[in-house]
Amino acid sequence: SQQGEEDPQALSIQEGENATMNCSYKTSINNLQWYRQNSGRGLVHLILIRSNEREKHSGRLRVTLDTSKKSSSLLITASRAADTASYFCATDTKPISTGANSKLTFGKGITLSVRP
Amino acid sequence: EAGVAQSPRYKIIEKRQSVAFWCNPISGHATLYWYQQILGQGPKLLIQFQNNGVVDDSQLPKDRFSAERLKGVDSTLKIQPAKLEDSAVYLCASSSRTRTGRTEAFFGQGTRLTVV
């Protein structure tokens, strides 16, 4: 089952604008991660925010986490055409079975189109 | 550092045939995931290994899918017999928990399976 739910499902913006994507989840998490997937490729990790953190920056990326609302947002500033891709949030939770400390569950993704 | 290797890159088979996918994770990564990604959807976890033990296979259709990770390194995922709805990209990922608690996953390019 999907843990994270992203919105919007699709986003189209002009180059130079900011893109904001949201993710909501249902259960307690160890951390939350955002990934990017270009068409026909594997997923690439972008940024990780731990459950005790509220905000994280990495280059043009800013991610926030609100554990009370079980939600996160990813902001891409000054977007570029090369940012066109699908973006997924993934929650790292503790598996039911013993033997591992984390299980990574992905949402359905957001399709971002950046027009040149 | 070499990434996650998967083969084959593409596979077309007829329904009721069998197929196998291979994955070589990043050296030293204890956790290995197999995900199924249907077009337009997020990755769905099929099975998670910790070393050579199965941690989670709750969403693996065990009547037709099987996976193993011998010696805690390489892994194979098999489908027998395949159905039309198995058409998807099969992604392998590996991760290792760092001292700071980071658990981001590194993905292979995936195997695109088409069942006709």
Side-chain angles (χ1 to χ4, degrees):
Chain A
S1 61
Q2 306 287 149
Q3 157 78 313
E5 292 284 339
E6 298 96 335
D7 82 270
Q9 285 189 325
L11 184 60
S12 181
I13 59 174
Q14 200 73 35
E15 202 166 30
E17 293 180 338
N18 296 339
T20 299
M21 292 169 271
N22 303 300
C23 170
S24 59
Y25 57 92
K26 297 173 184 173
T27 63
S28 297
I29 60 173
N30 296 325
N31 61 64
L32 186 142
Q33 304 174 28
W34 286 89
Y35 288 78
R36 183 184 72 204
Q37 185 178 38
N38 289 88
S39 180
R41 302 285 190 103
L43 283 80
V44 174
H45 177 264
L46 293 176
I47 193 165
L48 178 154
I49 186 164
R50 296 189 183 88
S51 60
N52 61 353
E53 295 176 317
R54 292 296 166 259
E55 189 171 312
K56 201 88 173 279
H57 295 257
S58 177
R60 293 185 296 115
L61 305 179
R62 172 178 168 259
V63 65
T64 62
L65 179 65
D66 186 334
T67 52
S68 66
K69 295 181 179 177
K70 291 187 168 58
S71 67
S72 173
S73 68
L74 174 69
L75 170 68
I76 303 175
T77 60
S79 63
R80 305 167 182 168
D83 294 329
T84 295
S86 293
Y87 291 81
F88 297 88
C89 73
T91 50
D92 180 344
T93 57
K94 188 167 177 57
I96 295 172
S97 305
T98 58
N101 290 319
S102 66
K103 170 182 172 178
L104 212 53
T105 306
F106 287 81
K108 295 179 180 178
I110 297 169
T111 301
L112 174 66
S113 298
V114 182
R115 303 185 301 274
Chain B
E1 175 182 79
V4 176
Q6 286 188 251
S7 68
R9 190 82 171 85
Y10 304 93
K11 191 75 177 178
I12 301 174
I13 62 172
E14 294 183 349
K15 59 184 179 184
R16 290 186 290 273
Q17 284 188 324
S18 63
V19 65
F21 312 126
W22 173 81
C23 172
N24 187 313
I26 291 173
S27 177
H29 280 192
T31 304
L32 186 147
Y33 304 91
W34 281 103
Y35 288 91
Q36 178 194 60
Q37 187 177 24
I38 292 171
L39 187 65
Q41 299 184 18
K44 170 187 157 186
L45 180 66
L46 292 176
I47 189 167
Q48 177 182 348
F49 291 95
Q50 185 73 12
N51 297 308
N52 60 346
V54 175
V55 173
D56 188 322
D57 63 357
S58 56
Q59 297 193 91
L60 186 74
K62 298 180 187 64
D63 57 334
R64 298 184 301 107
F65 286 63
S66 64
E68 60 181 8
R69 189 182 185 195
L70 298 175
K71 301 179 182 178
V73 182
D74 292 8
S75 177
T76 55
L77 175 70
K78 296 178 182 176
I79 308 175
Q80 182 180 9
K83 293 185 176 181
L84 296 176
E85 58 259 37
D86 297 333
S87 294
V89 175
Y90 290 84
L91 296 163
C92 178
S94 68
S95 71
S96 181
R97 177 176 287 270
T98 68
R99 266 185 248 122
T100 57
R102 295 184 63 89
T103 56
E104 63 262 43
F106 295 83
F107 281 81
Q109 293 278 54
T111 297
R112 183 177 297 276
L113 174 68
T114 303
V115 182
V116 297

Short mmCIF file of all heavy atoms in Angstrom, two decimals, chain B residues 12-70:
data_model
loop_
_atom_site.label_atom_id
_atom_site.label_comp_id
_atom_site.label_asym_id
_atom_site.label_seq_id
_atom_site.Cartn_x
_atom_site.Cartn_y
_atom_site.Cartn_z
N ILE B 12 10.96 -8.72 -23.39
CA ILE B 12 9.60 -8.94 -23.91
C ILE B 12 9.34 -10.43 -23.90
O ILE B 12 10.13 -11.20 -24.47
CB ILE B 12 9.44 -8.38 -25.34
CG1 ILE B 12 9.74 -6.88 -25.37
CG2 ILE B 12 8.04 -8.66 -25.87
CD1 ILE B 12 9.75 -6.29 -26.78
N ILE B 13 8.26 -10.84 -23.26
CA ILE B 13 7.92 -12.26 -23.21
C ILE B 13 6.42 -12.42 -23.46
O ILE B 13 5.65 -11.46 -23.35
CB ILE B 13 8.28 -12.91 -21.85
CG1 ILE B 13 7.49 -12.25 -20.71
CG2 ILE B 13 9.77 -12.86 -21.62
CD1 ILE B 13 7.65 -12.95 -19.37
N GLU B 14 6.04 -13.65 -23.78
CA GLU B 14 4.62 -13.94 -23.94
C GLU B 14 4.04 -14.35 -22.58
O GLU B 14 4.78 -14.86 -21.71
CB GLU B 14 4.42 -15.06 -24.95
CG GLU B 14 4.83 -14.66 -26.36
CD GLU B 14 4.57 -15.75 -27.38
OE1 GLU B 14 4.26 -16.88 -26.96
OE2 GLU B 14 4.69 -15.49 -28.59
N LYS B 15 2.75 -14.13 -22.43
CA LYS B 15 2.12 -14.52 -21.15
C LYS B 15 2.28 -16.02 -20.95
O LYS B 15 2.36 -16.79 -21.90
CB LYS B 15 0.65 -14.11 -21.11
CG LYS B 15 -0.21 -14.70 -22.18
CD LYS B 15 -1.64 -14.13 -22.09
CE LYS B 15 -2.49 -14.71 -23.20
NZ LYS B 15 -3.85 -14.13 -23.22
N ARG B 16 2.40 -16.38 -19.70
CA ARG B 16 2.62 -17.76 -19.24
C ARG B 16 4.08 -18.19 -19.34
O ARG B 16 4.43 -19.26 -18.84
CB ARG B 16 1.72 -18.77 -19.94
CG ARG B 16 0.25 -18.65 -19.53
CD ARG B 16 -0.58 -19.76 -20.14
NE ARG B 16 -0.72 -19.61 -21.58
CZ ARG B 16 -1.68 -18.89 -22.16
NH1 ARG B 16 -2.55 -18.24 -21.42
NH2 ARG B 16 -1.75 -18.81 -23.47
N GLN B 17 4.93 -17.36 -19.96
CA GLN B 17 6.35 -17.70 -19.95
C GLN B 17 6.96 -17.26 -18.62
O GLN B 17 6.34 -16.58 -17.80
CB GLN B 17 7.07 -16.98 -21.10
CG GLN B 17 6.82 -17.62 -22.45
CD GLN B 17 7.68 -17.02 -23.54
OE1 GLN B 17 7.96 -15.82 -23.54
NE2 GLN B 17 8.13 -17.85 -24.47
N SER B 18 8.20 -17.64 -18.41
CA SER B 18 8.91 -17.22 -17.19
C SER B 18 10.02 -16.25 -17.54
O SER B 18 10.49 -16.20 -18.68
CB SER B 18 9.48 -18.45 -16.48
OG SER B 18 10.43 -19.10 -17.30
N VAL B 19 10.42 -15.48 -16.54
CA VAL B 19 11.47 -14.48 -16.75
C VAL B 19 12.22 -14.28 -15.43
O VAL B 19 11.65 -14.48 -14.35
CB VAL B 19 10.86 -13.15 -17.25
CG1 VAL B 19 9.95 -12.52 -16.20
CG2 VAL B 19 11.95 -12.18 -17.69
N ALA B 20 13.48 -13.90 -15.53
CA ALA B 20 14.28 -13.64 -14.34
C ALA B 20 15.05 -12.35 -14.51
O ALA B 20 15.55 -12.06 -15.60
CB ALA B 20 15.24 -14.80 -14.08
N PHE B 21 15.15 -11.61 -13.42
CA PHE B 21 15.89 -10.36 -13.40
C PHE B 21 17.02 -10.50 -12.39
O PHE B 21 16.87 -11.15 -11.36
CB PHE B 21 14.99 -9.18 -13.00
CG PHE B 21 13.69 -9.12 -13.71
CD1 PHE B 21 12.49 -9.06 -13.01
CD2 PHE B 21 13.62 -9.14 -15.10
CE1 PHE B 21 11.27 -9.00 -13.65
CE2 PHE B 21 12.41 -9.08 -15.75
CZ PHE B 21 11.23 -9.01 -15.03
N TRP B 22 18.12 -9.81 -12.69
CA TRP B 22 19.28 -9.90 -11.82
C TRP B 22 19.68 -8.53 -11.30
O TRP B 22 19.52 -7.53 -12.00
CB TRP B 22 20.44 -10.53 -12.61
CG TRP B 22 21.75 -10.53 -11.90
CD1 TRP B 22 22.18 -11.41 -10.96
CD2 TRP B 22 22.82 -9.60 -12.08
NE1 TRP B 22 23.45 -11.11 -10.54
CE2 TRP B 22 23.86 -9.99 -11.22
CE3 TRP B 22 23.00 -8.47 -12.90
CZ2 TRP B 22 25.06 -9.30 -11.15
CZ3 TRP B 22 24.19 -7.78 -12.82
CH2 TRP B 22 25.21 -8.21 -11.94
N CYS B 23 20.15 -8.48 -10.07
CA CYS B 23 20.57 -7.22 -9.47
C CYS B 23 21.85 -7.42 -8.68
O CYS B 23 21.98 -8.37 -7.89
CB CYS B 23 19.48 -6.69 -8.54
SG CYS B 23 19.96 -5.25 -7.56
N ASN B 24 22.79 -6.51 -8.89
CA ASN B 24 24.02 -6.46 -8.09
C ASN B 24 24.04 -5.15 -7.33
O ASN B 24 24.19 -4.09 -7.95
CB ASN B 24 25.25 -6.59 -9.00
CG ASN B 24 26.53 -6.72 -8.19
OD1 ASN B 24 26.75 -5.97 -7.25
ND2 ASN B 24 27.34 -7.68 -8.54
N PRO B 25 23.86 -5.17 -6.03
CA PRO B 25 23.77 -3.92 -5.26
C PRO B 25 25.14 -3.28 -5.07
O PRO B 25 26.16 -3.84 -5.45
CB PRO B 25 23.20 -4.39 -3.93
CG PRO B 25 23.75 -5.78 -3.78
CD PRO B 25 23.79 -6.35 -5.17
N ILE B 26 25.13 -2.12 -4.47
CA ILE B 26 26.38 -1.44 -4.13
C ILE B 26 27.10 -2.27 -3.06
O ILE B 26 26.45 -2.75 -2.11
CB ILE B 26 26.11 -0.01 -3.66
CG1 ILE B 26 25.62 0.84 -4.84
CG2 ILE B 26 27.35 0.61 -3.02
CD1 ILE B 26 25.17 2.23 -4.49
N SER B 27 28.39 -2.41 -3.23
CA SER B 27 29.17 -3.23 -2.33
C SER B 27 29.02 -2.77 -0.88
O SER B 27 29.13 -1.57 -0.58
CB SER B 27 30.65 -3.16 -2.73
OG SER B 27 31.44 -3.90 -1.82
N GLY B 28 28.70 -3.72 0.00
CA GLY B 28 28.59 -3.38 1.41
C GLY B 28 27.20 -3.00 1.87
O GLY B 28 26.95 -2.86 3.07
N HIS B 29 26.28 -2.83 0.92
CA HIS B 29 24.91 -2.48 1.30
C HIS B 29 24.15 -3.72 1.77
O HIS B 29 23.96 -4.67 1.03
CB HIS B 29 24.17 -1.84 0.12
CG HIS B 29 24.52 -0.40 -0.05
ND1 HIS B 29 23.80 0.45 -0.88
CD2 HIS B 29 25.49 0.36 0.48
CE1 HIS B 29 24.31 1.66 -0.83
NE2 HIS B 29 25.35 1.63 -0.01
N ALA B 30 23.68 -3.67 3.01
CA ALA B 30 23.01 -4.83 3.59
C ALA B 30 21.56 -4.96 3.11
O ALA B 30 21.02 -6.05 3.03
CB ALA B 30 23.05 -4.75 5.11
N THR B 31 20.92 -3.82 2.83
CA THR B 31 19.50 -3.84 2.46
C THR B 31 19.34 -3.80 0.95
O THR B 31 19.98 -2.99 0.27
CB THR B 31 18.76 -2.64 3.08
OG1 THR B 31 18.96 -2.66 4.49
CG2 THR B 31 17.27 -2.72 2.79
N LEU B 32 18.52 -4.69 0.45
CA LEU B 32 18.22 -4.73 -0.98
C LEU B 32 16.71 -4.77 -1.17
O LEU B 32 16.01 -5.52 -0.48
CB LEU B 32 18.88 -5.96 -1.63
CG LEU B 32 18.78 -6.07 -3.16
CD1 LEU B 32 20.02 -6.75 -3.73
CD2 LEU B 32 17.54 -6.80 -3.60
N TYR B 33 16.23 -3.93 -2.06
CA TYR B 33 14.80 -3.84 -2.35
C TYR B 33 14.53 -4.22 -3.81
O TYR B 33 15.32 -3.85 -4.69
CB TYR B 33 14.28 -2.41 -2.19
CG TYR B 33 14.50 -1.72 -0.86
CD1 TYR B 33 15.63 -0.96 -0.63
CD2 TYR B 33 13.53 -1.77 0.14
CE1 TYR B 33 15.82 -0.27 0.57
CE2 TYR B 33 13.70 -1.09 1.34
CZ TYR B 33 14.85 -0.35 1.55
OH TYR B 33 15.01 0.33 2.73
N TRP B 34 13.41 -4.85 -4.05
CA TRP B 34 12.85 -4.99 -5.39
C TRP B 34 11.52 -4.24 -5.40
O TRP B 34 10.64 -4.50 -4.56
CB TRP B 34 12.60 -6.45 -5.77
CG TRP B 34 13.81 -7.20 -6.21
CD1 TRP B 34 14.52 -8.11 -5.49
CD2 TRP B 34 14.43 -7.15 -7.50
NE1 TRP B 34 15.56 -8.62 -6.23
CE2 TRP B 34 15.53 -8.05 -7.48
CE3 TRP B 34 14.19 -6.44 -8.68
CZ2 TRP B 34 16.36 -8.26 -8.57
CZ3 TRP B 34 15.02 -6.64 -9.76
CH2 TRP B 34 16.09 -7.53 -9.71
N TYR B 35 11.38 -3.33 -6.37
CA TYR B 35 10.14 -2.58 -6.54
C TYR B 35 9.56 -2.87 -7.93
O TYR B 35 10.30 -3.08 -8.89
CB TYR B 35 10.39 -1.07 -6.45
CG TYR B 35 10.71 -0.55 -5.07
CD1 TYR B 35 12.03 -0.48 -4.63
CD2 TYR B 35 9.71 -0.11 -4.21
CE1 TYR B 35 12.34 0.01 -3.36
CE2 TYR B 35 10.01 0.39 -2.94
CZ TYR B 35 11.32 0.45 -2.53
OH TYR B 35 11.63 0.93 -1.27
N GLN B 36 8.26 -2.81 -8.00
CA GLN B 36 7.56 -2.88 -9.29
C GLN B 36 6.95 -1.50 -9.56
O GLN B 36 6.24 -0.96 -8.70
CB GLN B 36 6.45 -3.93 -9.24
CG GLN B 36 5.63 -4.04 -10.52
CD GLN B 36 4.35 -4.84 -10.31
OE1 GLN B 36 3.51 -4.47 -9.49
NE2 GLN B 36 4.21 -5.95 -11.02
N GLN B 37 7.23 -0.93 -10.73
CA GLN B 37 6.67 0.37 -11.07
C GLN B 37 5.88 0.26 -12.36
O GLN B 37 6.45 0.12 -13.44
CB GLN B 37 7.76 1.43 -11.20
CG GLN B 37 7.19 2.84 -11.38
CD GLN B 37 8.25 3.91 -11.43
OE1 GLN B 37 9.40 3.65 -11.76
NE2 GLN B 37 7.88 5.14 -11.09
N ILE B 38 4.57 0.32 -12.22
CA ILE B 38 3.69 0.32 -13.38
C ILE B 38 3.65 1.73 -13.93
O ILE B 38 3.72 2.71 -13.18
CB ILE B 38 2.29 -0.19 -12.98
CG1 ILE B 38 2.38 -1.68 -12.64
CG2 ILE B 38 1.28 0.04 -14.09
CD1 ILE B 38 1.14 -2.26 -12.03
N LEU B 39 3.52 1.85 -15.24
CA LEU B 39 3.56 3.14 -15.91
C LEU B 39 2.62 4.14 -15.27
O LEU B 39 1.44 3.87 -15.08
CB LEU B 39 3.21 2.95 -17.39
CG LEU B 39 3.37 4.18 -18.29
CD1 LEU B 39 4.84 4.60 -18.36
CD2 LEU B 39 2.80 3.91 -19.67
N GLY B 40 3.18 5.30 -14.89
CA GLY B 40 2.35 6.36 -14.32
C GLY B 40 2.12 6.25 -12.83
O GLY B 40 1.42 7.08 -12.25
N GLN B 41 2.71 5.24 -12.19
CA GLN B 41 2.53 5.04 -10.76
C GLN B 41 3.86 5.10 -10.02
O GLN B 41 4.92 5.11 -10.64
CB GLN B 41 1.85 3.70 -10.49
CG GLN B 41 0.46 3.59 -11.11
CD GLN B 41 -0.22 2.28 -10.75
OE1 GLN B 41 0.16 1.61 -9.80
NE2 GLN B 41 -1.25 1.94 -11.51
N GLY B 42 3.79 5.14 -8.71
CA GLY B 42 5.00 5.11 -7.91
C GLY B 42 5.50 3.69 -7.73
O GLY B 42 4.78 2.72 -7.98
N PRO B 43 6.76 3.53 -7.33
CA PRO B 43 7.29 2.19 -7.09
C PRO B 43 6.57 1.49 -5.95
O PRO B 43 6.34 2.09 -4.90
CB PRO B 43 8.76 2.46 -6.73
CG PRO B 43 9.05 3.83 -7.22
CD PRO B 43 7.77 4.57 -7.13
N LYS B 44 6.24 0.23 -6.17
CA LYS B 44 5.58 -0.58 -5.14
C LYS B 44 6.56 -1.64 -4.66
O LYS B 44 7.11 -2.39 -5.46
CB LYS B 44 4.33 -1.23 -5.74
CG LYS B 44 3.67 -2.28 -4.87
CD LYS B 44 2.56 -2.97 -5.65
CE LYS B 44 2.24 -4.33 -5.10
NZ LYS B 44 1.28 -5.07 -5.93
N LEU B 45 6.77 -1.67 -3.36
CA LEU B 45 7.74 -2.62 -2.80
C LEU B 45 7.24 -4.05 -2.95
O LEU B 45 6.13 -4.39 -2.52
CB LEU B 45 7.98 -2.32 -1.32
CG LEU B 45 8.97 -3.25 -0.61
CD1 LEU B 45 10.37 -3.06 -1.16
CD2 LEU B 45 8.96 -3.00 0.89
N LEU B 46 8.06 -4.89 -3.58
CA LEU B 46 7.73 -6.31 -3.70
C LEU B 46 8.37 -7.10 -2.58
O LEU B 46 7.73 -7.92 -1.93
CB LEU B 46 8.20 -6.86 -5.05
CG LEU B 46 7.48 -6.35 -6.29
CD1 LEU B 46 8.14 -6.92 -7.54
CD2 LEU B 46 6.01 -6.72 -6.25
N ILE B 47 9.66 -6.87 -2.37
CA ILE B 47 10.38 -7.64 -1.36
C ILE B 47 11.58 -6.85 -0.89
O ILE B 47 12.19 -6.11 -1.65
CB ILE B 47 10.79 -9.03 -1.91
CG1 ILE B 47 11.36 -9.93 -0.79
CG2 ILE B 47 11.79 -8.91 -3.05
CD1 ILE B 47 11.48 -11.39 -1.20
N GLN B 48 11.90 -7.01 0.40
CA GLN B 48 13.06 -6.35 1.00
C GLN B 48 13.90 -7.40 1.69
O GLN B 48 13.39 -8.22 2.47
CB GLN B 48 12.61 -5.29 2.01
CG GLN B 48 13.76 -4.60 2.74
CD GLN B 48 13.29 -3.59 3.76
OE1 GLN B 48 12.12 -3.22 3.79
NE2 GLN B 48 14.19 -3.12 4.61
N PHE B 49 15.20 -7.39 1.40
CA PHE B 49 16.15 -8.27 2.04
C PHE B 49 17.04 -7.48 2.99
O PHE B 49 17.40 -6.33 2.72
CB PHE B 49 17.08 -8.92 1.00
CG PHE B 49 16.42 -9.92 0.09
CD1 PHE B 49 15.94 -9.53 -1.15
CD2 PHE B 49 16.30 -11.24 0.47
CE1 PHE B 49 15.34 -10.45 -2.00
CE2 PHE B 49 15.71 -12.18 -0.38
CZ PHE B 49 15.23 -11.77 -1.62
N GLN B 50 17.38 -8.08 4.09
CA GLN B 50 18.43 -7.57 4.97
C GLN B 50 19.48 -8.66 4.97
O GLN B 50 19.25 -9.76 5.50
CB GLN B 50 17.90 -7.31 6.37
CG GLN B 50 18.89 -6.67 7.32
CD GLN B 50 19.15 -5.22 7.02
OE1 GLN B 50 18.43 -4.59 6.24
NE2 GLN B 50 20.18 -4.65 7.63
N ASN B 51 20.64 -8.36 4.36
CA ASN B 51 21.63 -9.39 4.07
C ASN B 51 20.95 -10.48 3.24
O ASN B 51 20.38 -10.16 2.21
CB ASN B 51 22.28 -9.91 5.34
CG ASN B 51 23.04 -8.80 6.06
OD1 ASN B 51 23.87 -8.12 5.44
ND2 ASN B 51 22.72 -8.56 7.32
N ASN B 52 20.93 -11.73 3.63
CA ASN B 52 20.27 -12.73 2.79
C ASN B 52 18.93 -13.17 3.35
O ASN B 52 18.34 -14.14 2.89
CB ASN B 52 21.19 -13.93 2.56
CG ASN B 52 21.57 -14.61 3.86
OD1 ASN B 52 21.36 -14.06 4.93
ND2 ASN B 52 22.12 -15.80 3.78
N GLY B 53 18.43 -12.44 4.35
CA GLY B 53 17.13 -12.76 4.92
C GLY B 53 16.04 -11.83 4.44
O GLY B 53 16.27 -10.65 4.18
N VAL B 54 14.82 -12.36 4.29
CA VAL B 54 13.68 -11.57 3.85
C VAL B 54 13.08 -10.81 5.04
O VAL B 54 12.76 -11.41 6.06
CB VAL B 54 12.60 -12.47 3.22
CG1 VAL B 54 11.36 -11.63 2.87
CG2 VAL B 54 13.14 -13.16 1.98
N VAL B 55 12.96 -9.49 4.89
CA VAL B 55 12.38 -8.66 5.94
C VAL B 55 10.90 -8.41 5.68
O VAL B 55 10.09 -8.40 6.59
CB VAL B 55 13.13 -7.32 6.05
CG1 VAL B 55 12.44 -6.39 7.02
CG2 VAL B 55 14.58 -7.54 6.45
N ASP B 56 10.58 -8.18 4.41
CA ASP B 56 9.19 -7.86 4.05
C ASP B 56 8.91 -8.39 2.65
O ASP B 56 9.59 -7.99 1.71
CB ASP B 56 8.97 -6.34 4.11
CG ASP B 56 7.51 -5.94 3.94
OD1 ASP B 56 6.79 -6.56 3.14
OD2 ASP B 56 7.08 -4.98 4.62
N ASP B 57 7.96 -9.25 2.52
CA ASP B 57 7.50 -9.72 1.20
C ASP B 57 5.99 -9.73 1.17
O ASP B 57 5.38 -10.53 0.45
CB ASP B 57 8.09 -11.08 0.84
CG ASP B 57 7.65 -12.18 1.80
OD1 ASP B 57 6.93 -11.86 2.77
OD2 ASP B 57 8.02 -13.34 1.57
N SER B 58 5.38 -8.85 1.94
CA SER B 58 3.92 -8.85 2.08
C SER B 58 3.19 -8.53 0.79
O SER B 58 2.04 -8.90 0.62
CB SER B 58 3.50 -7.86 3.17
OG SER B 58 3.99 -6.56 2.89
N GLN B 59 3.84 -7.82 -0.15
CA GLN B 59 3.16 -7.46 -1.40
C GLN B 59 3.71 -8.26 -2.59
O GLN B 59 3.44 -7.90 -3.74
CB GLN B 59 3.30 -5.96 -1.66
CG GLN B 59 2.63 -5.11 -0.59
CD GLN B 59 2.51 -3.65 -1.00
OE1 GLN B 59 1.52 -3.25 -1.58
NE2 GLN B 59 3.52 -2.87 -0.68
N LEU B 60 4.42 -9.30 -2.31
CA LEU B 60 4.94 -10.15 -3.38
C LEU B 60 3.90 -11.22 -3.72
O LEU B 60 3.50 -12.00 -2.84
CB LEU B 60 6.24 -10.83 -2.93
CG LEU B 60 6.99 -11.63 -3.98
CD1 LEU B 60 7.68 -10.72 -4.97
CD2 LEU B 60 8.00 -12.57 -3.31
N PRO B 61 3.43 -11.28 -4.97
CA PRO B 61 2.47 -12.33 -5.36
C PRO B 61 3.18 -13.69 -5.39
O PRO B 61 3.72 -14.12 -6.40
CB PRO B 61 2.02 -11.90 -6.76
CG PRO B 61 2.48 -10.48 -6.91
CD PRO B 61 3.71 -10.36 -6.07
N LYS B 62 3.13 -14.37 -4.27
CA LYS B 62 4.00 -15.53 -4.08
C LYS B 62 3.61 -16.74 -4.93
O LYS B 62 4.39 -17.69 -5.04
CB LYS B 62 4.03 -15.92 -2.60
CG LYS B 62 4.61 -14.82 -1.70
CD LYS B 62 4.62 -15.25 -0.26
CE LYS B 62 5.02 -14.11 0.64
NZ LYS B 62 4.06 -12.97 0.62
N ASP B 63 2.40 -16.68 -5.53
CA ASP B 63 2.02 -17.80 -6.40
C ASP B 63 2.81 -17.76 -7.71
O ASP B 63 2.91 -18.78 -8.41
CB ASP B 63 0.52 -17.77 -6.67
CG ASP B 63 0.07 -16.46 -7.29
OD1 ASP B 63 0.74 -15.43 -7.08
OD2 ASP B 63 -0.96 -16.46 -8.00
N ARG B 64 3.36 -16.59 -8.04
CA ARG B 64 4.07 -16.50 -9.32
C ARG B 64 5.43 -15.82 -9.23
O ARG B 64 6.27 -15.96 -10.10
CB ARG B 64 3.20 -15.74 -10.33
CG ARG B 64 1.88 -16.42 -10.62
CD ARG B 64 1.09 -15.70 -11.70
NE ARG B 64 0.80 -14.31 -11.34
CZ ARG B 64 1.40 -13.26 -11.87
NH1 ARG B 64 2.33 -13.43 -12.78
NH2 ARG B 64 1.06 -12.04 -11.50
N PHE B 65 5.65 -15.05 -8.18
CA PHE B 65 6.91 -14.32 -8.02
C PHE B 65 7.76 -15.00 -6.95
O PHE B 65 7.24 -15.46 -5.93
CB PHE B 65 6.66 -12.87 -7.58
CG PHE B 65 6.14 -11.96 -8.65
CD1 PHE B 65 4.90 -12.16 -9.24
CD2 PHE B 65 6.88 -10.86 -9.06
CE1 PHE B 65 4.41 -11.30 -10.21
CE2 PHE B 65 6.39 -9.98 -10.02
CZ PHE B 65 5.16 -10.20 -10.60
N SER B 66 9.05 -15.03 -7.20
CA SER B 66 9.98 -15.50 -6.17
C SER B 66 11.27 -14.68 -6.27
O SER B 66 11.59 -14.15 -7.32
CB SER B 66 10.29 -16.99 -6.35
OG SER B 66 10.96 -17.20 -7.58
N ALA B 67 11.96 -14.58 -5.16
CA ALA B 67 13.21 -13.82 -5.15
C ALA B 67 14.15 -14.46 -4.16
O ALA B 67 13.72 -15.06 -3.16
CB ALA B 67 12.97 -12.36 -4.77
N GLU B 68 15.43 -14.33 -4.46
CA GLU B 68 16.43 -14.82 -3.53
C GLU B 68 17.65 -13.91 -3.55
O GLU B 68 17.89 -13.21 -4.52
CB GLU B 68 16.83 -16.26 -3.86
CG GLU B 68 17.42 -16.46 -5.24
CD GLU B 68 17.78 -17.91 -5.51
OE1 GLU B 68 17.44 -18.79 -4.68
OE2 GLU B 68 18.42 -18.16 -6.54
N ARG B 69 18.37 -13.95 -2.47
CA ARG B 69 19.60 -13.17 -2.36
C ARG B 69 20.65 -14.06 -1.72
O ARG B 69 20.78 -14.12 -0.50
CB ARG B 69 19.38 -11.91 -1.52
CG ARG B 69 20.57 -10.97 -1.58
CD ARG B 69 20.39 -9.75 -0.72
NE ARG B 69 21.50 -8.83 -0.90
CZ ARG B 69 21.77 -7.82 -0.08
NH1 ARG B 69 21.00 -7.60 0.98
NH2 ARG B 69 22.80 -7.03 -0.31
N LEU B 70 21.34 -14.76 -2.58
CA LEU B 70 22.32 -15.71 -2.11
C LEU B 70 23.53 -14.98 -1.57
O LEU B 70 24.01 -14.01 -2.17
CB LEU B 70 22.73 -16.66 -3.25
CG LEU B 70 21.58 -17.51 -3.82
CD1 LEU B 70 22.05 -18.31 -5.01
CD2 LEU B 70 21.03 -18.42 -2.73
#
